[in-house]
Amino acid sequence: GCKWVSGLYKLVEDAKANRYPLWKSVDADISIYSMNNGRWGIGAHQEKAQGFDTETAYVFNDTPHEGLMPHHFMGGWMHSRPAWTPDQGIKCREVDVSVVLER
């Protein structure tokens, strides 16, 4: 799987990616963002440098989100190592803000 994208992501206040909320990892330069094709992606500095105006990601959900936030997608996540592979182990969950503040 892709343990390197695991961890807590915090909502970036006053930031959007293709008109949708943006989350940044608290441990690395990785973000969860809406790609310009209407799917959720997890990417790094290359996508950030493009202002997230991209269809690229290291991990993405193959279902168009139609405005639903990433934690509403229990399946459909894929990673690119070594090739695009469905990975049921990828989970995106919403957590209470107090959990994040304890870090």
Side-chain angles (χ1 to χ4, degrees), residues 33-102:
Y33 55 93
S34 176
M35 298 185 293
N36 62 13
N37 62 5
R39 291 169 168 80
W40 291 113
I42 302 175
H45 55 87
Q46 300 95 326
E47 291 78 17
K48 184 178 180 181
Q50 296 175 33
F52 301 104
D53 187 16
T54 180
E55 293 182 14
T56 64
Y58 293 115
V59 173
F60 78 100
N61 193 289
D62 198 32
T63 305
H65 59 67
E66 297 180 349
L68 289 176
M69 297 300 106
H71 64 277
H72 289 285
F73 294 89
M74 296 299 124
W77 292 95
M78 302 180 76
H79 64 80
S80 62
R81 294 185 180 187
W84 287 115
T85 306
D87 189 336
Q88 293 303 315
I90 299 173
K91 307 284 186 222
C92 187
R93 293 184 298 245
E94 183 177 33
V95 296
D96 187 286
V97 69
S98 63
V99 174
V100 176
L101 293 176
E102 290 174 5

